[in-house]
Amino acid sequence: MIPLRDTIPARTRPVVTHAVIAANVLVYLLQVAQGANVDRFIYFFGLVPARYFVPQIADYFSTGEQAFAWISFMFLHGGFWHLLGNMWSLYIFGDNVEDHLGPLRYAAFYLLCGLASGLSHLLLHRFSNIPTIGASGAIAGVMGAYFILFPRSRVLTLIPILVIPYFIEIPAFFFLGAWFVMQFLNAAGSGGGAGGVAWWAHIGGFVFGMGVLKIIDALPGTGRSRTLGRFIPRAPADRLQVIRPVARDDSFDLYATVSVSPHEARNGARKMVSIATGFPKRLLRVLVPPGITDGSLMRLKGLGRLTPDGRRGDLFLRVAITGPAA
């Protein structure tokens, strides 16, 4: 199953999430540039449990180097697909959590989740000399927070069966709950680190993310994140949108809403629209013409309900312009 996006739009641009993604990509390029020295690079900047519990190894590293590894390990990855999978998950779930916490608290939250995931792995593999790397633990914390904040959200998921792509919406609580159970089963069945995957780091990050979110929400805010948020532009309308057509009276036509930004309304846009009726979900390309106004209707012929004589009604998309004019 490949998650494509969730169904809750972000109110503002997730600047911290985008900055974290950019930092991970840059560090990965630096890592690749090491060539034959990449293993040494990873050992130095990765989180190696034995460096903290085996004195003969710890003596080779300064206090600053030992401390810095707790941050740097979150930005290293074992390969391109490892990086892509992590960053895609952060892209899907991070924007809404950042929306809820604000940029400053979210940045601190992300780093704390990464530290907690590293600690959970460290304590269970104290004498391992294998570096732990990756943003998975920190992102697991973000997913844990999303699990608490938006359990009723849905995750649009691609399931490729042979050459046919199927699109289904999976409730977020089920998608993330199943992910967590899989981490636990893998950890229990492999000793927690088989195949180079730090399963307990994922589990620790997810649980910590759920718990610390409750604590952060209970603390009185300083207002700094809210003040900073005023200078962050609103998020643009999603290019991939899920619509839920409804019928009016006894008509065979269906009606739904598609969102566009003021910029897209002026200049036109292409949208990918997933119709959330029936199985499998249908995915359509919709061209929004330039100069369209709020409340305008776009007609998609033959996508309505089936009539008694075997024909189909039409699908009408109402355009909703969201966000301030730029």
Side-chain angles (χ1 to χ4, degrees), residues 97-291:
V97 178
E98 183 175 345
D99 243 358
H100 176 81
L101 293 176
L104 296 180
R105 293 199 302 172
Y106 174 75
F109 170 82
Y110 180 88
L111 292 175
L112 286 173
C113 289
L115 292 174
S117 71
L119 182 62
S120 64
H121 178 79
L122 197 77
L123 294 178
L124 291 168
H125 303 86
R126 291 181 297 168
F127 304 110
S128 172
N129 204 30
I130 301 175
T132 300
I133 60 173
S136 306
I139 296 170
V142 173
M143 294 166 68
Y146 191 100
F147 181 81
I148 295 295
L149 292 170
F150 309 106
R152 297 183 182 276
S153 172
R154 291 179 175 270
V155 180
L156 181 63
T157 306
L158 167 63
I159 303 179
I161 300 179
L162 298 178
V163 296
I164 302 174
Y166 287 83
F167 299 88
I168 64 172
E169 283 186 329
I170 300 176
F173 74 88
F174 180 84
F175 184 93
L176 295 174
W179 178 89
F180 180 77
V181 170
M182 289 301 299
Q183 306 308 300
F184 187 82
L185 292 176
N186 282 318
S190 66
V197 180
W199 301 112
W200 286 111
H202 300 173
I203 294 170
F206 191 91
V207 173
F208 182 84
M210 290 192 296
V212 78
L213 175 74
K214 294 291 188 179
I215 297 174
I216 292 176
D217 280 345
L219 294 175
T222 62
R224 292 182 180 178
S225 274
R226 185 176 299 175
T227 301
L228 182 60
R230 295 173 183 171
F231 300 96
I232 299 174
R234 291 182 62 90
D238 291 311
R239 186 168 187 268
L240 174 61
Q241 298 185 23
V242 178
I243 63 172
R244 295 172 176 79
V246 296
R248 296 179 180 174
D249 301 324
D250 295 328
S251 171
F252 292 99
D253 296 329
L254 295 175
Y255 297 83
T257 300
V258 62
S259 299
V260 300
S261 68
H263 175 79
E264 291 172 328
R266 288 194 302 270
N267 300 285
R270 295 179 183 273
K271 296 291 183 181
M272 300 293 291
V273 175
S274 176
I275 302 178
T277 55
F279 182 88
K281 303 293 185 286
R282 298 191 63 177
L283 191 66
L284 305 173
R285 288 188 178 91
V286 176
L287 177 63
V288 180

